[in-house]
Amino acid sequence: MFERYSLRARQLIFLARYEAGRRGAQQIDIDDFLWAFVLEDQGHAVEFPEFGRMHSQDTTHKPFLSGDLAAKLQDQIKQVLARSTPPRATSDDMAMSSGLKRVLGNAAELAKSLEHKVIQPLHILAAAVGGDAVSPGVEAVRDSGVTQDAVLRAIEEE
């Protein structure tokens, strides 16, 4: 399923799964992805003792979000991610919510329409903020001024 995804995009999905499991969620949701996006976008070398280093050392990556905006969004998204108990084991399979599946499908269509062979994190972000996705995290990102047009311009610059 993820063969067309870049290493960074796959790592984001894995980070989203990790966060969802850590908080005991039953599904990986759009807000889990957004939390992971903010961390990865800022170049945070997230370490997970269970898996070792999970962040690629892409020195050409230019953050999409400013540092201040990223910190603000990270706080807002963390507040909406409901914590359940107990955490789920990292070895447990975890489904994606229908909303996240729709966003990933829209990201694949967007990449195809742009004639990009690989789906990047910004394709997924553009699909989340530009589509019909509804979640507190998506609303926070939209309210911060991040638009699909701005994300598309950043994709063109890459």
Side-chain angles (χ1 to χ4, degrees), residues 45-121:
V46 179
E47 301 252 347
F48 297 99
E50 299 89 346
F51 307 108
R53 191 173 199 85
M54 292 304 302
H55 186 273
S56 65
Q57 296 300 311
D58 182 358
T59 56
T60 62
H61 171 67
K62 178 183 168 197
F64 173 73
L65 303 170
S66 71
D68 291 341
L69 178 56
K72 177 183 168 187
L73 287 174
Q74 188 175 8
D75 289 343
Q76 289 177 324
I77 294 168
K78 275 303 240 190
Q79 289 177 11
V80 300
L81 291 174
R83 187 168 298 283
S84 305
T85 54
R88 295 191 52 178
T90 54
S91 59
D92 289 352
D93 284 338
M94 187 178 293
M96 291 184 194
S97 70
S98 60
L100 182 55
K101 286 180 186 177
R102 190 170 38 258
V103 165
L104 294 178
N106 291 344
E109 288 299 317
L110 175 62
K112 183 178 178 181
S113 72
L114 296 171
E115 299 181 1
H116 296 167
K117 293 181 181 181
V118 178
I119 300 165
Q120 298 289 346

Side-chain angles (χ1 to χ4, degrees), residues 2-158:
F2 296 111
E3 356 4 272
R4 289 191 54 216
Y5 288 72
S6 70
L7 175 61
R8 286 182 50 226
R10 283 181 272 155
Q11 287 179 330
L12 284 177
I13 293 166
F14 186 82
L15 278 169
R17 189 269 174 245
Y18 181 83
E19 172 59 17
R22 191 181 65 75
R23 62 188 181 81
Q26 296 301 307
Q27 296 181 357
I28 310 165
D29 206 354
I30 298 168
D31 292 342
D32 296 305
F33 168 79
L34 292 172
W35 173 84
F37 177 86
V38 171
L39 286 180
E40 195 277 341
D41 180 65
Q42 295 302 296
H44 295 291
V46 179
E47 301 252 347
F48 297 99
E50 299 89 346
F51 307 108
R53 191 173 199 85
M54 292 304 302
H55 186 273
S56 65
Q57 296 300 311
D58 182 358
T59 56
T60 62
H61 171 67
K62 178 183 168 197
F64 173 73
L65 303 170
S66 71
D68 291 341
L69 178 56
K72 177 183 168 187
L73 287 174
Q74 188 175 8
D75 289 343
Q76 289 177 324
I77 294 168
K78 275 303 240 190
Q79 289 177 11
V80 300
L81 291 174
R83 187 168 298 283
S84 305
T85 54
R88 295 191 52 178
T90 54
S91 59
D92 289 352
D93 284 338
M94 187 178 293
M96 291 184 194
S97 70
S98 60
L100 182 55
K101 286 180 186 177
R102 190 170 38 258
V103 165
L104 294 178
N106 291 344
E109 288 299 317
L110 175 62
K112 183 178 178 181
S113 72
L114 296 171
E115 299 181 1
H116 296 167
K117 293 181 181 181
V118 178
I119 300 165
Q120 298 289 346
L122 286 176
H123 291 114
I124 304 170
L125 181 64
V129 299
D132 61 353
V134 178
S135 77
V138 170
E139 292 304 315
V141 173
R142 287 176 182 151
D143 290 347
S144 74
V146 175
T147 65
Q148 186 178 46
D149 287 341
V151 179
L152 291 174
R153 282 191 302 276
I155 290 171
E156 289 175 10
E157 292 173 6
E158 281 191 342

